[in-house]
Amino acid sequence: MAMKVFVWSRAEIEDGAAEGADAVISVRLHADRGSFETLDTAMAQVVLGDVDAMLVLRSDDIGVPRLGAQRGPTDEQIAAVIDFARAIRAGQPDATLAIHCEHGRSLSPALALAVLADELGAGREAEAVQRLLRLDRDGIMAPNPLAVRQADDRLWRYGALEAALAASAPRFAAVRDTWSRVASPAGVRAAPRLQSNRKRRIRALDQDEQEIRELRVSLPLLT
């Protein structure tokens, strides 16, 4: 028996796509200060209020640890995802796990790949990648390269997971290369210093958002 993993967007979760799942991992943008009431209600309904069957993370979808006020996925978050999936699997080996991020294109596929690779074990990275790509209903997945690299390290795969994904998913390779250029000395953008003046902080956040938008225009598959 194997765990069944599905990847969704936030809107799909709110519309009930995860009904029937045994557990949910919810990835919410760190910069999002809006209401999550509808999302929280949908998640609670899926798992019948079982708080142990829900994991909530905050991360922006960037391929570097920081970009101004944006914060990328962390090693601790990847570890939390793996431990959470292991706990669910220990209680029910054939459990259904729903993972969502904002658009279901980048962060959630990367986390799903970590879960699949962990379950299958070392040496079966290509199989984990193929299982992930079969979930790509609309051909839009481009897993977050930072999260994939962190999963690679956390699972002691020595780059095998990233290599298997790059070999089978050109979109991922393109996203990875784009973020590599951003992270290079020539592409690094210094994070704005904290300002006591609220208007200056708002301008800094607006600048960060503009930079992210420009990256997404150059590579539309970023979510």
Side-chain angles (χ1 to χ4, degrees):
M1 292 185 292
M3 173 176 277
K4 295 178 286 293
V5 180
F6 292 94
V7 173
W8 305 104
S9 68
R10 171 178 173 171
E12 288 171 322
I13 294 292
E14 292 178 339
D15 287 342
E19 290 294 333
D22 299 292
V24 183
I25 297 176
S26 175
V27 185
R28 306 166 186 199
L29 296 177
H30 182 272
D32 191 343
R33 295 295 179 263
S35 171
F36 294 104
E37 182 177 355
T38 301
L39 179 58
D40 288 337
T41 299
M43 287 179 58
Q45 182 173 331
V46 169
V47 298
L48 303 178
D50 182 0
V51 295
D52 292 331
M54 296 184 285
L55 175 64
V56 177
L57 305 173
R58 279 298 193 104
S59 174
D60 295 313
D61 185 22
I62 58 176
V64 291
R66 280 179 175 268
L67 183 61
Q70 307 284 321
R71 298 182 183 179
T74 67
D75 177 69
E76 291 77 12
Q77 289 175 330
I78 300 303
V81 166
I82 293 171
D83 289 344
F84 177 79
R86 286 174 178 174
I88 297 298
R89 211 163 51 233
Q92 186 179 344
D94 62 346
T96 297
L97 173 63
I99 307 176
H100 89 84
C101 57
E102 191 66 21
H103 299 292
R105 296 179 179 180
S106 179
L107 282 169
S108 50
L111 301 186
L113 182 59
V115 170
L116 292 168
D118 180 52
E119 181 178 23
L120 289 171
R124 299 175 68 183
E125 290 77 21
E127 184 178 346
V129 167
Q130 292 308 311
R131 283 183 58 182
L132 174 70
L133 295 180
R134 284 197 291 270
L135 300 175
D136 193 2
R137 304 174 299 278
D138 301 315
I140 59 174
M141 285 185 184
N144 181 284
L146 177 57
V148 171
R149 194 172 304 117
Q150 290 163 336
D152 227 332
D153 292 343
R154 175 61 59 170
L155 295 173
W156 300 96
R157 302 303 169 83
Y158 305 101
L161 191 58
E162 182 178 353
L165 182 59
S168 296
R171 293 181 187 84
F172 166 75
V175 171
R176 181 192 59 183
D177 293 346
T178 294
W179 282 113
S180 293
R181 290 193 294 272
V182 172
S184 69
V188 169
R189 295 171 172 82
R193 294 182 179 179
L194 292 178
Q195 305 276 352
S196 58
N197 185 295
R198 182 172 180 272
K199 291 184 178 179
R200 290 180 183 175
R201 289 200 301 271
I202 292 174
R203 282 199 296 270
L205 287 172
D206 289 342
Q207 181 179 355
D208 296 335
E209 291 173 359
Q210 178 61 31
E211 290 173 347
I212 294 293
R213 283 196 294 271
E214 289 172 358
L215 279 171
R216 289 172 180 163
V217 167
S218 65
L219 191 57
L221 288 171
L222 288 176
T223 61

